[in-house]
Amino acid sequence: MLSSPFVQRVKLALSFKGLSYEYVEENLQNKSHVLLSSNPVHKKVPVLIHNGKCICESMIIVQYLDEVFAGAGPSLLPADPYERAMARFWAAYIDDKLLSSWMTAFRGKNDEEKEEGRKLSAAMAENLEEALRNKPFFGGDNVGFVDIALGGFAAWVHAVEKIYGIKKFDAAKTPLLAAWVERFGALDAAKAVLPDVDVLVEVGKRRQAESDAAAAAAAQGN
């Protein structure tokens, strides 16, 4: 699905590894038999089908690609066991903490909850900033596992700013992350697969309108 940041992670990994693949767009409102049969547990994208076997969940797919195609392109996970553990830690942090706070900021039940989400997301970003200190990418001089994890959201960071005027990575508070978004997005391998920001803006506006309509209908029902 074009707008899915999780799908973008897999496309980024494939791009940086220099691997060719067939991309199949999925309509999540009318899920195909292929999706339902290849991911019967979660019934979500992305799904990688390789040699007739199905691999699900974005960062598990990224790890799979890095291991199976170790000789293709750069290694995304470090060779050192400790560094590999740290990369997995920060990748999990992005989903468990940073993304969770973003979702609260946008989908909180009321203004107070949304404001709490915004405060929390700022704190989570500041923590993530520390993992980027003294290096251009989370992987060091080159893109690594954590860059792919956060890179899936790179285009959405710009789209959110256009839609809501909100900077998810404020240069005044998290200058390293703000610079990283621009640096990562300028890489040829990223530009080759990241979705057009204006397309995401339209998707975001449509979702917001649908959310507002649902909230208004619920209010009338009460």
Side-chain angles (χ1 to χ4, degrees):
M1 188 173 70
L2 176 68
S3 62
S4 169
F6 306 104
V7 170
Q8 294 310 316
R9 286 172 168 175
V10 177
K11 292 178 72 176
L12 284 165
L14 288 162
S15 184
F16 279 100
K17 298 288 284 185
L19 300 171
S20 60
Y21 59 95
E22 177 187 359
Y23 173 75
V24 180
E25 184 78 7
E26 183 70 31
N27 178 5
L28 295 188
Q29 304 304 314
N30 184 24
K31 298 177 181 180
S32 70
H33 171 72
V34 174
L35 174 61
L36 296 177
S37 60
S38 59
N39 188 0
V41 176
H42 297 300
K43 302 178 177 64
K44 295 179 179 180
V45 292
V47 177
L48 176 73
I49 302 176
H50 179 232
N51 289 337
K53 297 179 180 179
C54 305
I55 303 94
C56 308
E57 298 295 293
S58 63
M59 296 313 293
I60 292 175
I61 295 173
V62 171
Q63 291 182 66
Y64 176 87
L65 291 170
D66 203 38
E67 293 170 1
V68 173
F69 299 97
S75 294
L76 300 175
L77 278 162
D80 179 77
Y82 174 76
E83 295 299 329
R84 289 171 73 91
M86 288 299 95
R88 290 186 174 116
F89 170 86
W90 286 113
Y93 179 91
I94 289 168
D95 283 350
D96 298 341
K97 300 297 182 180
L98 185 64
L99 177 59
S100 177
S101 66
W102 284 354
M103 298 303 289
T104 301
F106 286 109
R107 298 183 180 178
K109 296 178 182 178
N110 50 53
D111 290 341
E112 288 184 4
E113 194 169 293
K114 290 178 180 179
E115 178 60 26
E116 184 61 30
R118 284 190 285 270
K119 290 179 181 178
L120 187 59
S121 65
M124 297 299 102
E126 288 176 10
N127 287 340
L128 185 60
E129 175 106 339
E130 290 303 311
L132 193 57
R133 197 164 298 282
N134 299 322
K135 51 189 177 182
F137 299 103
F138 290 99
D141 291 331
N142 300 303
V143 164
F145 191 67
V146 183
D147 296 283
I148 298 297
L150 189 59
F153 299 94
W156 270 112
V157 167
H158 293 298
V160 165
E161 183 174 357
K162 282 193 171 186
I163 299 170
Y164 302 103
I166 299 173
K167 292 184 177 182
K168 302 310 296 180
F169 299 136
D170 192 333
K173 296 179 179 178
T174 52
L176 299 181
L177 284 171
W180 174 90
V181 170
E182 301 301 328
R183 189 182 304 116
F184 181 84
L187 296 172
D188 289 341
K191 288 192 292 185
V193 296
L194 286 175
D196 184 88
V197 171
D198 290 334
V199 172
L200 295 186
V201 167
E202 293 306 311
V203 171
K205 287 180 177 178
R206 184 171 66 251
R207 289 179 181 173
Q208 186 61 55
E210 292 171 353
S211 177
D212 291 344
Q220 290 178 355
N222 293 334

